[in-house]
């Protein structure tokens, strides 16, 4: 019996309506397993669990963000996060003489509203603030948030169904907790080399994770990892993101000039595949509880894996970007002027000042988000050194 099954009674029970949606998704997954010959690659399972139209975690209408959801992101914790992020946006837009901002996966719209408000204060508004988000439910939440917080700027916001045409974007690309939600493939080191982890089972009896033969792609991925970190021990399990090269290639085609700033929890490759992480980094989030069983309640929980920022840098370079900086979230926010923004809060207004200090601690302390989250800056067609990475630039760790 898995640890999650033993503790299932401690988790808030999904509603009957949510369980019905999950059952429909499980039936669809089971049908794909049967059509694939009895097992499904994990990245396909994760794709369905997160993004199956109308059924997946990000496609259905369940609340995901904030205290009533499954997790809380940095923009939800503090408005200071978006205000900091707006600073490098303003610098890039000024260097280009104008342009747009494109945000991937805008969540509730809180970050978009904060970035737009700060860019207005800096007198450096983008021509358009474009949001690419597949969830119709989240789009409506984003629109409501923006209408409430920055009503005068709502007409600058545009929702997209796909990337803009090749070469048409000049400006800034933003992604906060974006890459961790990309489907990953999972592997295990067996006695004779790498094995791939698959999902098998059906909706009636449930799903299980099983090891099977590694194809050429799996063997190549593991070989590249071992070339960087040394041989992995028998029994070692982890994952890799096969979608990064194609994703960055598409983004590189779209962005004619500007920068991309991506923030997520992760590590450089040597730390990611350290022996201490012998079970990988894959996690599920359900009602602010983290566990590692992706096969329970498909569609009702977030599925994530940490980001290999070395792989991000490699894919970005291959797509024509330059790596302009890399550091922890804490150093990135300090480089964006977090201390100066905190100093704007009147210390005589004690409740407000204490709350602002609390938020800064959550964003920057090592035991909170400060070191678990990393920031990477990428530039293309623009000769600009991003000041956000001036205080600490750890590209050498990649």
């Amino acid at each position: 019996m898995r640890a999650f099954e033993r503790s299932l009674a401690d988790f808030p029970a999904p509603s009957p309506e949510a369980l019905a949606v999950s059952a429909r998704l499980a039936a669809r997954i089971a049908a794909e397993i049967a059509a694939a010959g009895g097992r499904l690659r994990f990245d396909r399972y994760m794709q369905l669990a997160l993004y199956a139209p109308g059924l997946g975690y990000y496609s259905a209408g369940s609340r995901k963000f904030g205290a009533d959801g499954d997790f809380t992101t940095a923009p939800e914790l503090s408005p200071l996060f978006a205000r900091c992020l707006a600073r490098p946006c303003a610098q890039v837009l000024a260097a280009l003489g104008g342009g747009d901002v494109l945000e991937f996966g805008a969540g509730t719209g809180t970050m978009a509203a904060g970035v737009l408000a700060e860019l207005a204060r800096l007198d450096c508004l983008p021509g358009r603030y474009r949001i690419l988000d597949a969830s119709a439910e989240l789009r409506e939440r984003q629109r409501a948030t923006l209408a409430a917080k920055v009503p005068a700027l709502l007409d600058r916001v545009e929702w997209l169904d796909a990337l803009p045409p090749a070469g048409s974007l000049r400006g800034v690309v933003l992604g906060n907790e974006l890459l961790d939600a990309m489907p990953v493939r999972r592997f295990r080191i067996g006695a004779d080399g790498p094995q791939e982890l698959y999902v098998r089972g059906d909706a009636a009896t449930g799903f299980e994770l099983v090891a099977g033969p590694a194809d050429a792609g799996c063997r190549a991925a593991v070989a590249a990892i071992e070339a960087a970190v040394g041989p992995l021990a028998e029994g070692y399990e982890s994952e890799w993101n096969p979608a990064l090269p194609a994703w960055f290639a598409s983004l590189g085609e779209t962005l004619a000039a500007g920068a991309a700033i991506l923030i997520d929890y992760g590590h450089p490759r040597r730390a990611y595949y350290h022996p201490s992480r012998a079970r990988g980094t894959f996690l599920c989030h359900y009602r602010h509880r983290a566990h590692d069983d992706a096969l329970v309640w498909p569609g009702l929980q977030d599925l994530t894996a940490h980001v290999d920022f070395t792989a991000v840098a490699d894919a970005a370079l291959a797509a024509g970007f330059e790596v302009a900086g890399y550091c922890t979230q804490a150093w990135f926010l300090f480089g964006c002027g977090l201390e100066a923004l905190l100093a704007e809060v009147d210390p005589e207004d004690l409740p407000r000042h204490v709350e602002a200090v609390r938020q800064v601690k959550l964003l920057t302390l090592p035991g909170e988000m400060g070191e678990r989250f990393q920031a990477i800056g990428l530039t293309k067609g623009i000769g600009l050194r991003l000041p956000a990475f001036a205080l600490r630039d750890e590209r050498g760790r990649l």
Side-chain angles (χ1 to χ4, degrees):
M1 183 177 290
R2 292 184 295 260
F4 179 65
E5 292 175 329
R6 288 196 299 270
S7 62
L8 192 59
D10 299 330
F11 281 62
S15 68
E17 295 79 12
L19 287 173
V21 172
S22 182
R24 289 167 56 200
L25 179 55
R28 174 169 175 178
I29 293 169
E32 286 216 13
I33 290 173
R39 66 186 181 200
L40 202 61
R41 232 171 52 185
F42 188 83
D43 59 333
R44 179 56 181 165
Y45 171 86
M46 187 171 172
Q47 178 72 32
L48 291 168
L50 293 179
Y51 303 110
L55 300 173
Y57 181 77
Y58 284 107
S59 302
S62 63
R63 182 171 291 271
K64 303 158 186 66
F65 303 91
D68 297 328
D70 299 310
F71 54 86
T72 303
T73 62
E76 306 287 334
L77 285 173
S78 173
L80 294 170
F81 182 87
R83 293 190 67 190
C84 283
L85 197 54
R87 302 306 176 90
C89 291
Q91 291 153 357
V92 173
L93 293 173
L96 290 171
D100 297 335
V101 174
L102 170 61
E103 182 183 350
F104 282 90
T108 63
T110 298
M111 189 173 91
V115 169
L116 275 168
E118 187 67 13
L119 288 174
R121 281 190 284 268
L122 297 171
D123 194 23
C124 196
L125 281 166
R128 289 171 294 179
Y129 194 104
R130 312 174 87 173
I131 295 174
L132 182 54
D133 201 312
S135 171
E137 182 265 338
L138 285 176
R139 286 187 182 201
E140 289 306 310
R141 290 189 66 188
Q142 292 155 12
R143 190 181 301 276
T145 298
L146 289 157
K149 294 189 173 184
V150 286
L153 302 175
L154 185 58
D155 61 351
R156 290 181 185 262
V157 183
E158 176 186 9
W159 281 266
L160 305 177
D161 295 316
L163 280 172
S168 66
L169 178 63
R170 293 174 60 85
V172 187
V173 175
L174 299 178
N176 181 58
E177 295 199 45
L178 165 73
L179 301 177
D180 69 275
M182 287 186 176
V184 295
R185 293 174 67 175
R186 300 175 71 179
F187 68 87
R188 175 184 298 155
I189 303 299
D192 299 320
Q195 302 170 312
E196 184 145 9
L197 297 181
Y198 297 85
V199 176
R200 74 178 181 188
D202 57 49
T205 61
F207 303 116
E208 63 177 337
L209 207 59
V210 295
D215 64 11
C218 180
R219 291 193 299 271
V222 174
I225 292 166
E226 291 189 316
V229 306
L232 300 174
E234 183 177 346
Y236 188 97
E237 293 181 10
S238 196
E239 63 283 319
W240 83 99
N241 183 341
L244 285 176
W247 189 82
F248 274 105
S250 296
L251 185 61
E253 289 178 3
T254 294
L255 185 66
I261 299 172
L262 305 171
I263 302 173
D264 226 310
Y265 45 89
H267 321 274
R269 180 165 293 165
R270 285 186 174 275
Y272 193 110
Y273 297 104
H274 191 271
S276 63
R277 293 191 174 92
R279 289 295 174 266
T281 72
F282 187 84
L283 278 178
C284 311
H285 298 277
Y286 176 76
R287 305 287 178 87
H288 296 277
R289 293 162 170 83
H291 65 93
D292 63 359
D293 193 337
L295 307 181
V296 174
W297 298 336
L300 303 187
Q301 56 179 348
D302 191 24
L303 311 182
T304 70
H306 287 206
V307 176
D308 174 358
F309 277 96
T310 303
V312 169
D314 288 344
L317 288 169
F321 290 89
E322 295 182 15
V323 180
Y326 170 73
C327 64
T328 65
Q329 176 175 289
W331 282 111
F332 173 80
L333 294 176
F334 287 132
C336 291
L338 178 60
E339 288 180 297
L341 293 176
L342 178 61
E344 293 178 5
V345 182
D346 183 2
E348 298 297 322
D349 186 348
L350 192 58
R352 185 165 171 256
H353 189 264
V354 168
E355 174 58 19
V357 170
R358 184 190 71 85
Q359 292 171 6
V360 168
K361 288 180 178 179
L362 289 174
L363 292 174
T364 62
L365 284 178
E368 300 290 346
M369 288 185 164
E371 289 188 1
R372 291 189 295 114
F373 283 75
Q374 316 278 298
I376 191 167
L378 310 167
T379 56
K380 183 170 184 268
I382 182 172
L384 177 66
R385 183 171 180 265
L386 296 177
F389 298 96
L391 292 180
R392 178 72 63 89
D393 190 350
E394 298 181 310
R395 279 176 288 179
R397 294 178 60 215
L398 295 171

